[in-house]
Amino acid sequence: MTYQPPAGARDLLPLDVAQKYWIENRLEQVFQRWGYHRIITSTVERMDTLMAGGAIDQEAVIELQPVAGKRLGLRPELTASIARTAVTRLARVTYPQRLYYNANVFRQATQGSHGGQQEFYQAGVELLGAGATVADAEIVLLLLDCLHSLALDSWCLILGDAQLTQALLTPFAPDQRQAVRQALAALDRVALDGIGLSPDLHRHALHLLDLRGHPEDVLQALGQLALEAEAETAVERLKSLIALVRDVINPGGEGQRLAPGSQRPAPALTLDLSLIQPFDYYTGLVFEVVTGPEQGCQVLGQGGRYDHLLGVFQGQGQGFPGIGFVLNIEALHQALLPTGYLPQDTPPSDWLVVPTAPQAAAAAFTYAQTLRASASLVRAEVHLADGESPATTRVLARQRRISRIAWIGPDGLPEIEALN
C-alpha cells in the first residue's frame, strides 16, 4: 500500500520550503519596516469565532469533533481570530496596533480552489484602531511595497467599496439583491436578464455592470447617479484615497516611477464597484491584486476594511476600525516561478567533517560544532559512512556542492581540503 497525504493537502519538499521561505522572508522584512509586529493565533478556534457573527459561511469551515460540548474548527482565515485576540488580549494596549502573520489556513474543498486544495499558506497584516483615509492608504501602499519587494511587475490593483456597492444595490428587492450582486461580480449579462427585473431596475443593473475600469471614468459615472448622503460620503472617500495613493506612487505625474531609482512603473489601478470578497464582514474599502492576462489573472491577495468585526467579539456590538490584507503564498510562488528569482537549489553545506577512524567520531562532532559557532550561519555536517574510501567521499561532497572537507584523524586534529 502506498501512503499519500489526504485529499486537499500536500507535502513541501526542501526546495519548496526554501522557495516559500524566500517569499515569506521578503514580506516579513517589509512588514517590519512599516512597524508591524508578528502575531500567532490558535489554529483551532471555536466555531462561533470562526464564523464571525455569520460573516463567514459555515460551509467554508472544516469542523472538528466537539470537545466538552464545544464546537471547534480549523481557521479558514486569520482576521476573525486576530479580532478575537484584540478584544480579549489586547484591551489595554495603545492603538493603532499594527500586526502581521505568516500562517496556514484551512477551508472545505468546495469553498477553496486549486482543484480541491484545503490547506493554504498566507501572509498578511491587520491595522486595528485607525479608520481614516490615511489608514486605508497605508494598507494599500504597504501591499504595493510587498509586491515590489518580490520583483513582481505584471499585476493590477482593483479597488472597490463594500458600503458603496451595498448602497447601489438598495433599489433591488431583498430577494433579488444577492442574485444581482453575483451577476455583477461575474460580469454576467445573461444572468441579469434571467432575474426578472423590471425595465427600470434592469437598466440600473446594466449601468452598475459598467462601473468598473479607470478610476476617474467610474467616479465620473457615479457623479451622474442620484446617491444618498452615505453613498456620496463613500464616493468622496474613494476619491481621496485614490488621489493620495497616486501622489505617493506617482509623485511627478504621468510617466514617473514608483520611487526614485526604481525601474518598475506605477501599478495599474482599476475601480470596480462589483468587487465582492469571499467573507462578508467588509464595511468600506475592498481590494484585490491580480496577475496580468498572460498569467491567467490569478488573485495574489485581497483585503479591505471591517469596522464592525471587533464589535462581534466585544458583546456590546460596538464598532471598532480595522483594515488589512492577505497574500496567498502559493499564488505568489506560481507567479514568481517563471522569473528565475526563486532559489533553484537548497543551500549546500559549507563543510563535510569526516572521521577517518571510529575513534575519531567524538572529535569530528566537536570540530563540526566549532565550525558552526564560528560565524552567524555555517553549515557543517558530519560524514556518517563507515569505511568509505576518501575518493568516494570526495565524489559525494562534490555532488552535494560542499566546498571543504575536514578530515579528522584519531588524534583529533583536522586536515583541511578545499574541493575544486
Side-chain angles (χ1 to χ4, degrees):
M1 177 180 179
T2 302
Y3 289 92
Q4 300 290 342
R10 67 188 185 96
D11 303 313
L12 296 181
L13 300 181
L15 181 57
D16 301 319
V17 174
Q19 293 177 339
K20 176 175 175 287
Y21 177 76
W22 187 95
I23 297 170
E24 291 177 338
N25 184 53
R26 277 154 181 76
L27 295 177
E28 189 169 36
Q29 290 178 26
V30 176
F31 297 156
Q32 292 178 354
R33 285 197 295 265
W34 282 68
Y36 285 70
H37 300 274
R38 186 169 185 179
I39 185 171
I40 299 176
T41 62
S42 175
T43 305
V44 177
E45 291 270 14
R46 295 186 178 187
M47 286 294 291
D48 53 358
T49 295
L50 297 178
M51 293 169 63
I56 297 176
D57 192 338
Q58 181 178 338
E59 293 182 358
V61 181
I62 298 177
E63 190 168 357
L64 305 177
Q65 289 291 333
V67 176
K70 302 294 184 181
R71 295 178 62 198
L72 304 175
L74 301 176
R75 60 191 179 202
E77 50 89 65
L78 269 294
T79 301
S81 295
I82 292 174
R84 187 264 307 157
T85 303
V87 170
T88 58
R89 304 291 301 277
L90 296 174
R92 297 184 180 180
V93 301
T94 59
Y95 285 90
Q97 279 286 302
R98 291 177 169 89
L99 307 172
Y100 79 88
Y101 56 87
N102 287 320
N104 54 350
V105 299
F106 306 86
R107 296 179 195 165
Q108 291 284 8
T110 53
Q111 294 292 326
S113 58
H114 307 298
Q117 185 175 346
Q118 295 188 93
E119 182 179 11
F120 304 84
Y121 293 95
Q122 298 183 340
V125 301
E126 309 293 348
L127 174 58
L128 306 179
T133 300
V134 290
D136 293 354
E138 173 169 319
I139 288 297
V140 171
L141 293 168
L142 173 53
L143 173 63
L144 302 185
D145 199 4
C146 287
L147 295 171
H148 284 290
S149 76
L150 299 174
L152 280 172
D153 293 324
S154 179
W155 47 269
C156 175
L157 177 63
I158 303 173
L159 303 175
D161 191 290
Q163 181 185 24
L164 180 54
T165 299
Q166 190 64 33
L168 293 172
L169 293 172
T170 301
F172 301 99
D175 60 337
Q176 297 175 326
R177 203 167 293 158
Q178 185 60 25
V180 172
R181 187 182 183 195
Q182 291 176 347
L184 293 175
L187 295 177
D188 193 341
R189 292 177 182 268
V190 175
L192 282 178
D193 294 339
I195 296 174
L197 300 173
S198 68
D200 287 345
L201 286 179
H202 188 260
R203 282 192 294 272
H204 180 60
L206 291 177
H207 188 62
L208 298 184
L209 196 63
D210 295 329
L211 291 178
R212 64 177 72 210
H214 195 273
E216 282 68 23
D217 295 337
V218 176
L219 291 171
Q220 183 177 4
L222 282 170
Q224 300 173 6
L225 299 178
L227 301 177
E228 299 292 337
E230 189 173 314
E232 289 282 5
T233 301
V235 171
E236 292 303 315
R237 186 172 59 236
L238 270 177
K239 287 181 180 178
S240 298
L241 172 66
I242 291 169
L244 178 52
V245 170
R246 281 223 169 106
D247 283 346
V248 175
I249 66 176
N250 203 11
E254 293 297 327
Q256 295 299 311
R257 300 295 183 181
L258 177 70
S262 174
Q263 296 302 308
R264 289 184 283 274
L269 295 181
T270 296
L271 184 55
D272 181 357
L273 295 181
S274 66
L275 180 61
I276 297 174
Q277 297 292 35
F279 303 120
D280 196 23
Y281 45 59
Y282 293 102
T283 59
L285 174 70
V286 290
F287 54 88
E288 65 182 22
V289 58
V290 298
T291 58
E294 67 278 2
Q295 292 181 301
C297 296
Q298 186 176 17
V299 177
L300 299 177
Q302 54 201 177
R305 175 163 290 283
Y306 48 88
D307 287 348
H308 302 321
L309 182 58
L310 272 72
V312 171
F313 303 108
Q314 284 178 323
Q316 297 85 10
Q318 298 174 347
F320 190 83
I323 184 172
F325 68 76
V326 61
L327 289 165
N328 185 324
I329 300 300
E330 286 99 341
L332 291 172
H333 182 252
Q334 290 302 310
L336 284 164
L337 276 175
T339 68
Y341 295 132
L342 294 174
Q344 302 302 305
D345 298 289
T346 54
S349 292
D350 303 291
W351 289 85
L352 182 63
V353 181
V354 182
T356 59
Q359 60 268 36
F365 280 109
T366 300
Y367 187 75
Q369 188 59 28
T370 301
L371 292 172
R372 298 179 192 120
S374 63
S376 58
L377 179 57
V378 172
R379 294 179 173 87
E381 57 182 79
V382 175
H383 194 47
L384 304 178
D386 187 19
E388 186 177 84
S389 70
T392 301
T393 301
R394 292 186 185 98
V395 170
L396 175 66
R398 289 190 176 97
Q399 288 175 341
R400 299 176 64 178
R401 298 178 290 122
I402 299 174
S403 58
R404 283 171 289 185
I405 297 178
W407 305 94
I408 308 298
D411 57 2
L413 298 178
E415 181 181 336
I416 307 303
E417 178 181 353
L419 298 178
N420 297 327

